[in-house]
Amino acid sequence: MTIYEILKFNKEMLLRLRQAGIRLDDCQYIDLYTDYQDLRFRGGKITYIVTVLAERYSISVRKVYSLIRLFESDCTNGAA
């Protein structure tokens, strides 16, 4: 299967995701956010959790905060 065929088959879904403010690269951080939720549920402090996740996923602390804010935000209007 070619890239074109995959894009054509998933065009509607991809357009809806884009309208919702979701970027394709966001999916690589789903596990990070799951880890964040688990650590918060266990009572961890946000500053500690962010530092641990930044080290674990080899990204900056600022990026972790940005991702948390992104995943906790509502979709943009007209997306659903």
Side-chain angles (χ1 to χ4, degrees):
M1 184 173 264
T2 66
I3 292 174
Y4 169 76
E5 291 169 331
I6 292 171
L7 288 173
K8 186 175 179 184
F9 181 75
N10 294 294
K11 179 183 175 185
E12 184 177 337
M13 180 188 62
L14 292 169
L15 290 174
R16 287 184 184 267
L17 290 172
R18 193 172 91 198
Q19 288 173 348
I22 299 169
R23 297 178 304 265
L24 211 47
D25 289 343
D26 293 341
C27 68
Q28 68 183 329
Y29 298 112
I30 292 172
D31 292 337
L32 178 145
Y33 189 72
T34 301
D35 290 348
Y36 167 77
Q37 289 178 313
D38 291 342
L39 292 169
R40 280 294 290 156
F41 180 75
R42 294 182 194 161
K45 302 289 182 187
I46 293 176
T47 305
Y48 171 77
I49 294 169
V50 168
T51 304
V52 167
L53 293 175
E55 186 174 321
R56 186 181 297 169
Y57 289 90
S58 301
I59 58 175
S60 70
V61 168
R62 184 177 179 98
K63 178 71 174 178
V64 175
Y65 278 117
S66 175
L67 290 166
I68 291 168
R69 193 171 28 256
L70 173 71
F71 284 130
E72 290 180 346
S73 67
D74 290 331
C75 293
T76 57
N77 293 337

